[in-house]
Amino acid sequence: MPTNQTLAGVVIAGGYSTRFGDADKAVADLAGTPMIRRVVDRLATVTDEIVVNCREDQLEAIDAALEGCDASVRFATDPVEDRGPLAGIRVGLETATREYAAVVACDMPFVDPALLELLLERAQGSDGAVVRLEDGWYQTTQAVYRTDAMAEACAAALEGDDGRILAAIDRIDCVTVAESELEAAGVDDATFESVDTQAELEDAADRLG
């Protein structure tokens, strides 16, 4: 079992998956396993506290998908649906009880636990750690944040009608990790791949199968 008692996992699953079609991609079958279960199982290797943010109408299916997993799972449902990932992060972090939380989107089944351990290490003494990709983009939904500080920052950004995750990150003391550092740390280069369409689901299934 994971021994780190400072880290929780927060999985963001409340989006409507418009590019994926009518089905909920969170529970889509990915090589025999629901996609969100693959994310949670990977998170469960570094933390035994998992919070899943989702809509009320997703609860039953996601709960069934996570039955018997190795971590304690709690749900944090969106009080107002469709406010975007920033609102989901806020609700998830407000439910988590650990000092830091690894926030991961439910459509990232290749998330590498080694990355989350690296980000937790880099976040010590600050309010979080995020990877800056080579194209300048920040990978905000596979990152580690200080739970209370980021929850407050999310609330402040939403109060100002700014739904960007970066609007919250700008309000905290967050360490940046260059993408070029990840290979030396042994992080799988597929960690940031997301599954947004049926075609990407089929490709991911072929690789996992």
Side-chain angles (χ1 to χ4, degrees), residues 123-207:
Q124 298 304 304
S126 69
D127 294 330
V130 298
V131 174
R132 182 173 182 174
L133 303 177
E134 291 177 356
D135 61 6
W137 188 257
Y138 290 91
Q139 185 46 262
T140 57
T141 54
Q142 201 170 129
V144 168
Y145 303 109
R146 189 186 295 274
T147 306
D148 291 345
M150 185 58 170
E152 291 170 6
C154 291
L158 289 164
E159 239 177 72
D161 290 326
D162 193 338
R164 297 174 305 119
I165 300 174
L166 283 177
I169 290 176
D170 285 345
R171 289 172 161 81
I172 63 175
D173 175 24
C174 196
V175 173
T176 298
V177 178
E179 185 178 13
S180 58
E181 297 180 53
L182 303 186
E183 184 178 355
V187 175
D188 187 339
D189 59 8
T191 189
F192 295 133
E193 291 185 21
S194 61
V195 175
D196 297 310
T197 66
Q198 291 285 344
E200 290 171 349
L201 181 72
E202 291 176 14
D203 178 64
D206 286 344
R207 291 160 58 192

Side-chain angles (χ1 to χ4, degrees), residues 20-207:
F20 196 75
D22 294 334
D24 182 1
K25 68 178 175 181
V27 293
D29 184 288
L30 177 52
T33 301
M35 181 149 55
I36 194 169
R37 179 59 177 264
R38 290 191 177 274
V39 174
V40 168
D41 283 349
R42 287 176 178 238
L43 272 170
T45 67
V46 293
T47 177
D48 56 5
E49 177 185 306
I50 305 285
V51 176
V52 175
N53 160 254
C54 64
R55 306 184 309 273
E56 286 279 355
D57 64 345
Q58 295 174 288
L59 275 172
E60 185 176 352
I62 293 178
D63 190 36
L66 299 180
E67 184 178 358
C69 72
D70 289 337
S72 169
V73 178
R74 287 177 296 148
F75 290 94
T77 55
D78 294 323
V80 180
E81 292 183 4
D82 206 25
R83 289 198 72 190
L86 183 65
I89 291 172
R90 174 192 177 181
V91 172
L93 292 176
E94 287 176 343
T95 304
T97 66
R98 304 280 171 82
E99 182 180 6
Y100 289 94
V103 171
V104 182
C106 72
D107 60 2
M108 292 181 148
F110 299 106
V111 55
D112 189 346
L115 171 67
L116 305 179
E117 291 178 321
L118 171 66
L119 293 177
L120 177 62
E121 179 184 323
R122 296 293 182 87
Q124 298 304 304
S126 69
D127 294 330
V130 298
V131 174
R132 182 173 182 174
L133 303 177
E134 291 177 356
D135 61 6
W137 188 257
Y138 290 91
Q139 185 46 262
T140 57
T141 54
Q142 201 170 129
V144 168
Y145 303 109
R146 189 186 295 274
T147 306
D148 291 345
M150 185 58 170
E152 291 170 6
C154 291
L158 289 164
E159 239 177 72
D161 290 326
D162 193 338
R164 297 174 305 119
I165 300 174
L166 283 177
I169 290 176
D170 285 345
R171 289 172 161 81
I172 63 175
D173 175 24
C174 196
V175 173
T176 298
V177 178
E179 185 178 13
S180 58
E181 297 180 53
L182 303 186
E183 184 178 355
V187 175
D188 187 339
D189 59 8
T191 189
F192 295 133
E193 291 185 21
S194 61
V195 175
D196 297 310
T197 66
Q198 291 285 344
E200 290 171 349
L201 181 72
E202 291 176 14
D203 178 64
D206 286 344
R207 291 160 58 192

